[in-house]
Amino acid sequence: MQELGRLEDLPEAYRAALTEQNLVPLWPSLRAVLPPGKPIPRTRPICWPYQGLRSLLLQAGELTPIEKAERRVLVLANPGHGLEKMQASATIYLGMQLLLPGEWAPAHRHTPNAVRMIVEGDGAYTTVEGEKCPMSRGDLILTPTGLWHEHGHDGDQPVVWLDVLDLPLVYYMEASYVTEGKAQTVTSEANDQAYQRGGVVPTPMFNRAGQPFPMLRYPWVDVRAVLEALALSQPDIEAVQVAYVNPETGADCQKILGFSALMLRPGERLQLPARSCAMVFHQIEGGADVSLEGHQFSLAEADTCCIPGYTPVTLANRSKDHAAFVFIADDAPLQKKLGLYEVRT
Ligand code: GTQ
């Protein structure tokens, strides 16, 4: 590839004249913005083990009352982007949130989409647009763009969950903002029972639900049971994986980030081809090794890691006797909508 002229090759006075008129020559930066073959990611492969994080999060519970935090969260920040940017990848934000018994994180709504993957504790709930969604380990709860949400806790132990938001993207688009609100009135319990069984959806008076987010809570007991059944009934399937979708349309459950759950059968090693999207892996149960060029992370329960796009990765269940379960988040839905999605085999 042809080497291009550098900024220093240009006369000082010429450069000053350009700057004066807010102009920039492209050629010194062309290879940086259009690198050959594949992007140069800022996103580094990073692992955030839960145990160390957990003790700091519990300490935050003592240091900062909920009223002073609104959301008591430690952000899983990728140093490749700069910690202060609070992003795991170009589009993905990850945060571990702590709610103590009796605490309440007040209602608000915002433009970024969020999901929560419950990590530990019982008795907490998120109310989304009046729908009360109880939180148990492994449950996925959506709080899509524009929907009111608040968190409460009637149990007696700390509750921790992983927040996954498309905040870095929405912030970059200068489209991120919040509206504060009053406590919501609970109008219904989580609607997950209505979509218990694939292939049928409620049609009250022959009317299909028109709302964009008909299902807000995906209980882990159900997702886990589907994975177990899939592994049993289709032993030759390449990957025992299910996507979290909108049960009315079958499309990804959110527009920007995609979510799935993967079961690694005892002793299984799964090679994933390089895909253009960045990925996050969060261990729900068991232990898995995540290997990519130059890095290996040994995920234990509740550990989280991220990898940049265009990177082949191998996931291996460390146990020969027990299945391992991994929650995966990526930005494939966004990339597909933009026509940027690639799989390189
Ligand atoms: O729980 O609403 O981690 O608004 C970041 C922003 C959690 C939340 C985060 C938020 C929330």
Side-chain angles (χ1 to χ4, degrees):
M1 199 171 243
Q2 175 71 41
E3 204 168 306
L4 302 176
R6 299 165 308 165
L7 205 52
E8 307 84 82
D9 300 338
L10 298 169
E12 191 89 37
Y14 178 73
R15 285 157 60 184
L18 288 176
T19 304
E20 178 65 26
Q21 296 189 46
N22 296 317
L23 297 170
V24 174
L26 172 62
W27 57 97
S29 303
L30 185 62
R31 301 282 187 250
V33 292
L34 290 173
K38 83 190 231 338
I40 303 164
R42 283 183 187 281
T43 303
R44 287 190 211 152
I46 298 288
C47 185
W48 296 271
Y50 185 57
Q51 279 317 315
L53 186 169
R54 180 179 190 272
S55 61
L56 292 171
L57 189 56
L58 290 174
Q59 249 176 286
E62 292 162 17
L63 294 169
T64 306
I66 191 71
E67 296 75 23
K68 287 285 174 200
E70 223 165 89
R71 299 296 190 262
R72 193 191 287 108
V73 175
L74 292 181
V75 179
L76 285 56
N78 193 314
H81 289 272
L83 295 181
E84 72 290 350
K85 292 280 173 59
M86 298 197 297
Q87 52 193 104
S89 78
T91 58
I92 305 175
Y93 159 104
L94 299 173
M96 276 294 177
Q97 182 160 172
L98 170 70
L99 200 63
L100 294 170
E103 287 185 338
W104 181 64
H108 70 189
R109 59 180 185 173
H110 40 68
T111 46
N113 297 273
V115 304
R116 342 226 157 251
M117 163 54 51
I118 316 311
V119 176
E120 71 166 282
D122 273 300
Y125 58 88
T126 293
T127 303
V128 187
E129 289 283 319
E131 190 174 314
K132 188 170 177 177
C133 301
M135 294 175 156
S136 283
R137 176 159 175 66
D139 291 351
L140 186 74
I141 297 172
L142 311 188
T143 55
T145 180
L147 301 195
W148 290 107
H149 56 281
E150 65 199 85
H151 317 301
H153 189 354
D154 299 333
D156 55 14
Q157 294 298 316
V159 165
V160 178
W161 63 83
L162 177 68
D163 291 314
V164 187
L165 281 80
D166 49 23
L167 178 62
L169 175 78
V170 179
Y171 181 77
Y172 178 73
M173 293 171 72
E174 301 187 342
S176 177
Y177 71 94
V178 71
T179 310
E180 296 194 359
K182 303 193 298 284
Q184 300 167 76
T185 310
V186 173
T187 53
S188 64
E189 296 296 315
N191 197 27
D192 38 75
Q193 296 304 309
Y195 298 99
Q196 261 294 351
R197 195 135 189 111
V200 285
V201 299
T203 52
M205 294 300 274
F206 303 103
N207 236 337
R208 294 278 296 277
Q211 73 262 39
F213 304 102
M215 187 161 165
L216 296 173
R217 175 173 182 263
Y218 298 74
W220 176 238
V221 282
D222 297 337
V223 177
R224 194 182 192 288
V226 170
L227 289 167
E228 295 269 15
L230 197 56
L232 206 63
S233 67
Q234 298 191 42
D236 297 330
I237 199 169
E238 266 186 300
V240 185
Q241 186 173 19
V242 291
Y244 292 88
V245 299
N246 174 333
E248 290 280 347
T249 64
D252 295 299
C253 67
Q254 289 192 346
K255 292 190 172 134
I256 295 175
L257 300 183
F259 307 97
S260 62
L262 172 73
M263 171 177 166
L264 292 167
R265 291 160 283 195
E268 181 171 357
R269 253 178 90 78
L270 185 66
Q271 275 178 288
L272 302 178
R275 302 191 308 151
S276 49
C277 53
M279 299 177 88
V280 168
F281 302 105
H282 172 80
Q283 191 79 38
I284 301 181
E285 278 182 46
D289 289 337
V290 177
S291 317
L292 56 153
E293 206 192 341
H295 297 267
Q296 173 156 333
F297 304 126
S298 272
L299 298 185
E301 251 174 48
D303 291 354
T304 308
C305 72
C306 78
I307 64 165
Y310 302 86
T311 307
V313 60
T314 301
L315 304 178
N317 184 350
R318 277 199 300 280
S319 169
K320 298 270 176 285
D321 307 312
H322 300 286
F325 295 91
V326 182
F327 171 66
I328 302 175
D330 62 38
D331 53 8
L334 173 72
Q335 291 200 337
K336 286 177 183 170
K337 288 184 181 79
L338 299 179
L340 298 173
Y341 182 74
E342 283 179 57
V343 182
R344 297 188 174 178
T345 45

